[in-house]
Amino acid sequence: MNHNTETPVTVIGLGLMGQALAGAFLKAGHPTIVWNRTSSKADHLVAQGARLAPTIGDALKAGSLTIICVTDYPALYELLGTNEVEVEGTMLINLTSGSSSQAREAARWAEQRGTRYLDGAIMAIPSAIGTADAVILHSGPQADFAAHESTLGALGTVTYLGADPGLASLYDVAGLAMMWSILNAWLQGTAMLRTAGVDAATYAPFARQIATVVADWLPGYAEQIDSGSFPAEISALETDARAMEHLIEESEAVGVNTELPKLLKTMADRAIAAGHGKEQYPVLIEEFGKLRKD
């Protein structure tokens, strides 16, 4: 995508991520205005050509759009919610981490003050910002995203999810659930194999292959979930449950933690007790979709 490098951009919040965001805009050729409560954090950006705004109000006025990336949502309100700061008429893109309810509340707060608002989530580490590996998720009014998509492209691979401002936060935590689940499954297997003298580096390529194969099942499994029909095309849940029992027994036999496989088995057993044993594994969506308080 061609970037309109004449667009001035303001970045508020210069932690490690904020510095990376401002640096990416500078590298792409955008006039970049920065502001941070501790102004010394802007020194190296100013040396690269950024302009340090004397006040946060000046920073908001200077850019065609303002990126804010601070500690949390309360910090956002603390900075922008005072009477001295004029936010009306600005385009605010909030890349602060938080919950979907916080994002929706911030969108309402912005609308009440005449501020255009997009919520976002950064699926990348600071060093990846400015490369295609940095995935930046956005949600909110599509017209606002479309108006600034080319400018935001300086940060990485930008994706629009939908009009609900909470979607970026939900995708963010859903992605974290995937990350931790894959890593935990690999650590479980690694712990077991180490008892037989197999090191992590030896197991990793095999584990990666398994993860790739399972990932290929997801589109078909998604069709089952969306249709509410779970024919056992690969295996029935009751078959998986027997294999889970084997995993628990093997873990116990070699002296490895059994908490994770026992949790999986507990959920499968509940689904089987509810009559879903002959159906395929994605039927467990019914268990994942329930908030249990016992």
Side-chain angles (χ1 to χ4, degrees):
M1 179 178 291
N2 294 323
H3 304 304
N4 178 3
T5 57
E6 296 177 359
T7 304
V9 180
T10 290
V11 177
I12 294 175
L14 299 176
L16 291 176
M17 186 60 78
Q19 291 180 40
L21 297 171
F25 284 124
L26 281 169
K27 188 175 180 181
H30 290 278
T32 304
I33 304 93
V34 295
W35 185 90
N36 192 71
R37 184 172 282 162
T38 305
S39 60
S40 60
K41 287 191 175 182
D43 289 349
H44 78 285
L45 291 166
V46 171
Q48 297 172 47
R51 179 163 69 83
L52 176 63
T55 69
I56 192 168
D58 292 323
L60 287 166
K61 293 174 185 174
S64 294
L65 73 157
T66 295
I67 307 287
I68 185 164
C69 184
V70 290
T71 308
D72 51 28
Y73 280 73
L76 180 150
Y77 295 126
E78 183 181 347
L79 291 175
L80 301 183
T82 64
N83 292 330
E84 295 78 36
V85 179
E86 179 58 61
V87 295
E88 185 175 359
T90 61
M91 177 68 238
L92 183 65
I93 300 177
N94 181 22
L95 298 182
T96 299
S97 294
S99 69
S100 57
S101 61
Q102 286 178 313
R104 294 181 186 115
E105 178 57 38
R108 288 191 290 270
W109 176 91
E111 183 179 11
Q112 291 165 0
R113 285 157 183 79
T115 304
R116 310 297 301 176
Y117 181 90
L118 287 170
D119 208 87
I122 302 170
M123 310 294 286
I125 58 176
S127 60
I129 298 298
T131 74
D133 291 335
V135 175
I136 319 290
L137 308 176
H138 297 85
S139 52
Q142 186 170 15
D144 289 333
F145 175 77
H148 299 286
E149 182 178 4
S150 63
T151 300
L152 293 168
L155 301 179
T157 302
V158 295
T159 301
Y160 176 74
L161 301 173
D164 175 0
L167 282 175
S169 292
L170 279 174
Y171 266 76
D172 185 17
V173 291
L176 292 174
M178 283 292 298
M179 178 186 75
W180 288 321
S181 296
I182 292 167
L183 289 174
N184 287 340
W186 173 67
L187 291 170
Q188 179 79 31
T190 298
M192 295 174 70
L193 285 163
R194 286 174 71 192
T195 67
V198 179
D199 60 23
T202 300
Y203 175 50
F206 176 84
R208 183 178 182 181
Q209 183 179 12
I210 293 292
T212 301
V213 169
V214 174
D216 286 341
W217 298 349
L218 297 184
Y221 278 9
E223 289 180 10
Q224 290 196 340
I225 291 172
D226 291 340
S227 68
S229 176
F230 306 94
E233 297 162 349
I234 296 176
S235 68
L237 182 60
E238 59 188 16
T239 303
D240 287 314
R242 287 193 291 272
M244 291 173 189
E245 187 63 44
H246 178 58
L247 172 58
I248 294 167
E249 292 171 354
E250 186 68 46
S251 296
E252 289 174 341
V254 298
V256 165
N257 190 296
T258 61
E259 290 172 278
L260 181 59
K262 282 183 176 178
L263 172 62
L264 301 176
K265 180 71 161 48
T266 297
M267 296 182 77
D269 285 345
R270 283 201 297 260
I272 291 168
H276 300 297
K278 302 294 185 185
E279 295 175 272
Q280 196 157 257
Y281 199 85
V283 75
L284 280 178
I285 190 65
E286 303 300 332
E287 291 298 317
F288 280 95
K290 296 173 185 173
L291 178 62
R292 299 189 65 88
K293 297 182 179 180
D294 53 354

